[in-house]
Every structure is written in structure tokens, then in C-alpha cells.
Amino acid sequence: MTASCPVAAAGRDGIVAARHLASWLGLAATPTFAIMALLTAVLGGGPADVLCSAGQGPVLGGMVPMYLLMSAFHASAWLRLIAER
């Protein structure tokens, strides 16, 4: 009779916990970037906004469009969650 190895069981539990944490972090990215875009638009971007918009048109330049794009790119976790329900 063989007993299961506690180290292997702990390793599997750690992998499951890491995957669970990663899925929650993926869900946190979209609203975080959306909030950053909103705060940057309302409060102003400061010196970083000037640096990021150098040489670009006013519509595509700046931190607000970048945060919105990052929010859109990370929305796949939310779309996957909605599709599973």
C-alpha cells in the first residue's frame, strides 16, 4: 500500500492557488487601467503626459488613450468570465 506524497499534494495545491490568483489579477487589470484613464483625464497627466504625446497628434497622443487601449487589451478575462456564465 502506498501513501500519497504530501510534497506532491502541496505542489498541486500551490499550482491551483497560483492559477486562481492569476485569474483574479487578470480581472483586476481592466478596471484598474480604466480608472487610471479616468483619473488622468480628470486630473491631468502632468509631465509624463507631455513626454508620451511628443510628436503625435492630439487625438492619439497622451496617457489617456494608452490606458484605454491597455484596458481594452486586458478585457479578454472579463469576456471569458461572461462567456462561461
Side-chain angles (χ1 to χ4, degrees), residues 22-72:
S23 68
W24 279 107
L25 285 174
L27 288 172
T30 298
T32 300
F33 286 126
I35 291 168
M36 290 169 67
L38 180 65
L39 289 175
T40 303
V42 171
L43 302 176
D49 202 24
V50 173
L51 290 174
C52 290
S53 65
Q56 298 175 357
V59 175
L60 296 176
M63 296 299 288
V64 174
M66 182 196 70
Y67 287 140
L68 291 175
L69 280 173
M70 290 172 72
S71 180

Side-chain angles (χ1 to χ4, degrees), residues 4 9 19 36 63 73-75:
S4 65
R19 286 183 179 162
M36 290 169 67
M63 296 299 288
F73 288 142
H74 287 88

